């Protein structure tokens, strides 16, 4: 869905007391008025889902997870299923973040299965795609992202319309090097055109959000671009006031 969506990704950060303070500040900030017709969420580590779902009970901020198993249940030590997340009130799940692709060897096929499992339980998958610095510098950025998107299309087909795609250039994650708004727009446009080759409805309605060093001082320009439907915010989402400022952008 193309409603402007801003989602925090805490990654492996937080503690019971830090979360409590963050939720209180963001909750109070949001009560002071947020732009209408937008969606806001935060993806927290698994052990904090229960605490955060309780803290968010009367908030417009939606709860998210940072991964989900491709499997329903059974002998999968360490995995967390979509049905468990649904029971915790989770509305979004990040899949295929570059940190998981690179450090845990997650492949496109597994990522698509994870997205499918999330969709089966009314959880919106946030499918991350993005090129490395090498791919960008050698003019292969679009080709690299196309390959990742094509794999999702081939498995998820028109269910993709219920997913979010997050374009996260790997060289911009946690580096302070944000893609220029035009550079991000160009890639979002390329993704939308690629999806149109498959299905015009999916292309017109899917939300494509940007991630990679989003801050309060660059969010307005990024989110104003015609094919950028919001942001997936890492480091800056840890600071409640900075996150609120990005949500207002
Ligand atoms: P940063 O905002 O810290 O660059 O992280 C982006 C990201 O990985 C969001 O998923």
């Amino acid at each position: 869905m193309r409603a402007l969506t801003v989602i925090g990704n805490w990654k492996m950060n937080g503690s019971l007391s830090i979360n409590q303070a963050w939720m209180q500040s963001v909750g109070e900030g949001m009560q002071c008025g947020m732009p209408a017709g937008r969606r806001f969420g935060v993806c927290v580590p698994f052990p904090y889902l229960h605490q955060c779902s309780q803290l968010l009970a009367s908030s417009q901020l939606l709860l998210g997870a940072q991964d989900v198993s491709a499997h329903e249940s059974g002998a999968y030590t360490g995995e967390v299923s979509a049905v468990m997340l649904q029971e915790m009130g989770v509305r979004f799940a990040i899949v295929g973040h570059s940190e998981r692709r690179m450090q845990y060897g997650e492949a496109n096929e597994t990522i698509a299965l994870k997205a499918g499992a999330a969709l089966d339980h009314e959880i919106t998958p946030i499918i991350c795609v993005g090129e490395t610095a090498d791919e960008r510098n050698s003019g292969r950025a679009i080709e690299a992202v196309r390959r990742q998107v094509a794999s999702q299309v081939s498995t998820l087909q028109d269910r993709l319309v219920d997913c979010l795609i997050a374009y996260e250039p790997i060289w911009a994650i946690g580096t302070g090097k944000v893609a220029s708004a035009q550079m991000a727009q160009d890639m979002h446009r390329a993704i939308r055109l690629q999806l149109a080759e498959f299905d015009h409805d999916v292309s017109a309605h899917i939300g494509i959000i940007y991630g990679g060093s989003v801050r309060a001082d660059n969010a307005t320009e990024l989110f104003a671009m015609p094919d950028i439907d919001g942001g997936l915010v890492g480091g800056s989402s840890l600071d409640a006031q900075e996150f609120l400022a990005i949500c207002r952008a």
Side-chain angles (χ1 to χ4, degrees), residues 23 26-28 30-31 51-62:
M23 293 285 166
V26 171
E28 283 167 10
M30 290 206 156
Q31 269 168 13
Q51 177 204 20
C52 293
S53 76
Q54 296 198 319
L55 292 169
L56 289 176
S58 57
S59 160
Q60 71 176 110
L61 195 63
L62 302 169

Side-chain angles (χ1 to χ4, degrees), residues 9 11 94 97 99 128 168 172-176 211-214 232-236:
N9 173 12
K11 307 193 180 185
I94 298 172
H97 193 283
E99 286 152 15
C128 301
E168 299 206 312
I173 294 178
T175 57
S213 298
V214 175
L232 185 58
V233 187
S236 300

Side-chain angles (χ1 to χ4, degrees), residues 106-186:
E106 264 182 31
N108 284 319
E109 296 71 27
T110 312
I111 292 161
L113 292 176
K114 289 181 172 199
L119 288 169
D120 287 344
H121 295 282
E122 286 155 38
I123 294 169
T124 302
I126 306 167
I127 302 169
C128 301
V129 298
E131 80 283 3
T132 62
D134 262 6
E135 287 164 336
R136 164 72 50 188
N137 295 335
S138 58
R140 290 178 294 128
I142 290 189
E143 177 194 324
V145 170
R146 268 188 81 90
R147 225 178 304 118
Q148 295 167 7
V149 172
S151 167
Q152 303 307 308
V153 172
S154 72
T155 303
L156 294 165
Q157 302 279 313
D158 54 7
R159 299 184 90 194
L160 253 187
V161 77
D162 295 320
C163 303
L164 285 168
I165 290 180
Y167 167 56
E168 299 206 312
I170 294 167
W171 48 268
I173 294 178
T175 57
K177 282 189 215 158
V178 65
S180 73
Q182 191 57 53
M183 192 190 279
Q185 161 61 22
D186 290 347

